[in-house]
């Protein structure tokens, strides 16, 4: 029974972190760039969500606010890279370092506790559901919504342009697409998902910490690699699902 509880808890955690891994997939695989903003924007999502919840904001609104904050972080990295012509790897490192100070300023201290604060997990727990089941339900819902949105978005004209920017930027520029804008959009969307995950994780664990995003990029890349091994020759939708499955498997392995 203890093993089943461990697996259930790890699965719940893996689903929440899968949203972050899907954001990393956008930059790492679709755009073909290494974005290290992730470690900072994940914490930004947790910090913004915690501050908004402590201020009395509705949990859903606080979670969306976290995603918007992450998009702003991606905008900074994209601006430095596409407008200031700083290599994207260095741009993301600069943003990540800056976000450490910004996150401290948002929270006003290194750690914010969410004790006796209504979160997105509170209502199902009040119905008597076990915490692991609630976390799994919220995580599965979030992953389903995000995968559905990504599958729709990357099938649109602008989404296809973002994908083409990573596959063959010279070709897509020849077709009249501004690759600077598509790169900027991809970075914003990726970091919005990363921060969304950070907001969910902060609510699930009951606190936001300045170091909660440390190593997030490694977790995201591990989930992607595991997912690609399992779904290497599948269609576009299955690749997204594979990333989520990879995140769960990675979390189970770490737990054991």
């Amino acid at each position: 029974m203890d093993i089943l509880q461990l697996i259930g808890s790890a699965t719940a955690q893996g689903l929440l972190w899968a949203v972050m891994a899907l954001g990393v997939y956008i930059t790492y695989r679709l755009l073909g760039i290494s974005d290290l903003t992730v470690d900072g924007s994940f914490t930004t999502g947790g910090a913004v969500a915690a501050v908004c919840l402590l201020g009395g904001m509705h949990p859903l609104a606080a979670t969306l606010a976290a995603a918007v904050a992450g998009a702003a972080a991606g905008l900074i990295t994209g601006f430095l890279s596409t407008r200031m012509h700083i290599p994207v790897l260095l741009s993301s490192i600069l943003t990540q370092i800056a976000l450490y100070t910004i996150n401290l300023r948002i929270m006003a201290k290194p750690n914010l506790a969410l004790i006796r604060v209504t979160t997105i997990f509170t209502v199902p727990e009040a119905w008597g559901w076990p915490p692991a089941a609630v976390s799994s339900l919220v995580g599965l819902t979030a992953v389903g919504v995000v995968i559905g949105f990504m599958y729709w978005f990357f099938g649109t004209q602008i989404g296809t342009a973002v994908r083409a920017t990573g596959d063959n930027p010279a070709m897509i520029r020849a077709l009249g697409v501004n690759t600077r804008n598509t790169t900027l959009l991809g970075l914003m969307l990726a970091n919005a998902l990363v921060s969304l995950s950070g907001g969910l994780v902060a609510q699930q664990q009951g606190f936001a910490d300045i170091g909660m995003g440390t190593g997030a990029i490694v977790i995201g890349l591990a989930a992607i690699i595991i997912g690609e091994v399992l779904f290497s020759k599948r269609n576009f939708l299955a690749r997204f699902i594979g990333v989520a499955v990879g995140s769960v498997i990675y979390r189970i392995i770490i737990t054991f």
Side-chain angles (χ1 to χ4, degrees):
M1 188 62 183
D2 291 338
I3 294 178
L4 292 178
Q5 289 177 347
L6 281 174
I7 293 175
S9 178
T11 300
Q13 283 285 321
L15 288 170
L16 296 177
W17 283 84
V19 177
M20 180 275 299
L22 287 165
V24 175
Y25 185 85
I26 294 175
T27 53
Y28 184 67
R29 278 292 182 243
L30 299 186
L31 287 177
I33 59 179
S34 299
D35 179 24
L36 299 185
T37 313
V38 172
D39 285 16
S41 58
F42 186 87
T43 306
T44 300
V48 170
V51 169
C52 290
L53 289 170
L54 291 171
M57 186 178 289
H58 190 278
L60 285 177
T63 305
L64 291 176
V68 172
L75 176 63
I76 295 172
T77 298
F79 178 81
L80 292 175
S81 175
T82 61
R83 266 59 179 185
M84 304 298 290
H85 305 293
I86 300 173
V88 66
L89 183 61
L90 179 57
S91 298
S92 63
I93 292 173
L94 292 173
T95 305
Q96 180 196 122
I97 294 172
L99 282 175
Y100 186 88
T101 302
I102 293 171
N103 293 335
L104 275 176
R105 182 66 181 86
I106 291 172
M107 295 192 296
K109 53 184 178 180
N111 187 286
L112 281 180
L114 297 176
I115 302 173
R116 292 188 293 275
V117 175
T118 301
T119 68
I120 203 169
F121 299 88
T122 303
V123 175
E125 288 178 354
W127 295 341
W129 290 25
V134 174
S135 298
S136 297
L137 176 63
V138 173
L140 192 61
T141 302
V143 168
V145 171
V146 168
I147 289 178
F149 169 77
M150 289 176 65
Y151 184 70
W152 165 81
F153 174 77
F154 287 110
T156 64
Q157 185 174 0
I158 183 63
T160 303
V162 173
R163 292 166 57 190
T165 300
D167 289 335
N168 194 332
M171 180 273 292
I172 198 67
R173 277 195 298 267
L175 295 176
V177 175
N178 189 329
T179 54
R180 296 191 306 172
N181 291 338
T182 52
T183 300
L184 187 65
L185 177 60
L187 285 167
M188 290 178 65
L189 178 58
N191 283 282
L193 295 181
V194 171
S195 286
L196 175 63
S197 177
L200 291 172
V201 170
Q203 293 180 65
Q204 190 269 340
Q205 65 188 11
F207 66 90
D209 186 84
I210 191 64
M212 63 184 290
T214 303
I217 184 66
V218 177
I219 297 173
L221 293 176
I224 291 171
I225 293 170
I226 294 172
E228 287 180 340
V229 169
L230 297 177
F231 297 83
S232 58
K233 297 182 180 179
R234 303 293 181 176
N235 59 37
F236 199 56
L237 177 61
R239 293 178 187 176
F240 292 151
I241 297 174
V243 173
V245 173
S247 177
V248 172
I249 293 175
Y250 175 83
R251 185 56 59 178
I252 292 175
I253 294 172
I254 292 298
T255 298
F256 278 98

